[in-house]
Amino acid sequence: QGNRKGGLVDVTPHNDTMSAFSVTLKPVMQVTRQFASLGSTFTKKSAVAPVKVDTTTKSIHGMSGRKCMLTGKKANNGWTVSFSHIRNKKLQGVNLQYKRVYWPEKQRYIRLRISTSALKSINKLGLEEMAQRVGLDLESLPYTDADPARKEWLVENGAVPTKKNKRAPAPGPKKLFIPKWKEARMAKKGNAATETKAFAERWGMEVA
């Protein structure tokens, strides 16, 4: 038998020959607090530090998001203020434009997404100088060749070889292919040869 006193239990056996012993139990609230603190330590250890992403113009070449490829300009955080001074958050975006800019050193046109202020800077500093400052690789961008020697070579040797389109239909008549439901319908009509010829002429197929 035991007597409970303030969260503690004393247990004494009936047999007098056995030595008396007592079991002490802590209050339930105290135990739960210990387990709660233990869980918090586990969560702190398991938490992984966030990976820092490099979002500079040099790393992404200005192609990610609304950002100028030559100056790195991006949207500014602003407010719209009403007459009663109610303020709401607003993004003041950059005036970005897709422009075909001439690169005189390589005699080619390069397509860039730049701000209107960068257009004035190109005239002042030059395209190559601005790209070098921001770390933009102009060679890796798509371009249109404007070299006169290149144009002469193309006239003499023909056009630049283009990639073959696998989905483009093959030249000439196609092979005859009739679906099963169409064959069954032709068989019901009786004259299968005439129906096959008409079907092939309609869809541009050759009859074997």
Side-chain angles (χ1 to χ4, degrees):
Q1 296 178 357
N3 297 324
R4 186 182 294 275
K5 294 179 181 179
L8 301 176
V9 178
D10 296 326
V11 180
T12 54
H14 289 287
N15 194 355
D16 295 330
T17 58
M18 293 178 66
S19 60
F21 65 92
S22 64
V23 179
T24 59
L25 296 177
K26 291 183 180 180
V28 180
M29 290 294 292
Q30 195 172 354
V31 176
T32 53
R33 281 174 189 165
Q34 285 181 353
F35 277 114
S37 63
L38 189 66
S40 64
T41 55
F42 277 122
T43 53
K44 285 177 183 176
K45 287 181 181 179
S46 62
V48 182
V51 181
K52 191 175 181 180
V53 182
D54 187 12
T55 56
T56 57
T57 315
K58 187 174 181 180
S59 65
I60 59 177
H61 277 198
M63 295 182 184
S64 175
R66 292 184 57 83
K67 184 185 285 187
C68 177
M69 294 174 73
L70 291 178
T71 58
K73 278 191 174 185
K74 53 186 179 180
N76 181 38
N77 293 317
W79 300 89
T80 56
V81 184
S82 68
F83 182 76
S84 58
H85 208 70
I86 295 172
R87 300 196 304 167
N88 293 310
K89 285 185 178 180
K90 178 190 176 183
L91 269 180
Q92 297 169 346
V94 189
N95 187 7
L96 295 176
Q97 305 292 333
Y98 283 104
K99 296 296 289 183
R100 207 168 65 109
V101 184
Y102 183 66
W103 187 9
E105 285 81 6
K106 295 288 182 177
Q107 293 186 337
R108 60 176 65 169
Y109 288 96
I110 298 173
R111 190 169 184 263
L112 298 170
R113 194 182 193 191
I114 51 178
S115 60
T116 48
S117 63
L119 285 169
K120 298 177 183 178
S121 302
I122 289 172
N123 295 331
K124 183 180 178 181
L125 301 171
L127 178 62
E128 206 166 75
E129 175 65 24
M130 289 191 71
Q132 194 174 1
R133 285 185 182 185
V134 81
L136 180 65
D137 185 15
L138 295 174
E139 293 279 355
S140 64
L141 299 174
Y143 67 90
T144 306
D145 216 326
D147 187 5
R150 175 69 175 167
K151 288 181 180 179
E152 287 176 11
W153 185 90
L154 287 174
V155 171
E156 293 173 2
N157 299 282
V160 181
T162 55
K163 192 176 179 182
K164 188 179 179 182
N165 185 9
K166 294 180 180 179
R167 297 185 179 183
K174 309 176 204 173
K175 292 182 180 179
L176 182 65
F177 172 76
I178 303 172
K180 291 183 178 180
W181 63 270
K182 189 69 177 177
E183 285 181 352
R185 192 173 289 180
M186 287 176 181
K188 282 183 181 179
K189 288 184 178 180
N191 195 355
T194 311
E195 291 290 330
T196 304
K197 189 177 180 182
F199 181 81
E201 287 177 358
R202 181 182 177 187
W203 296 105
M205 299 179 183
E206 59 180 2
V207 182

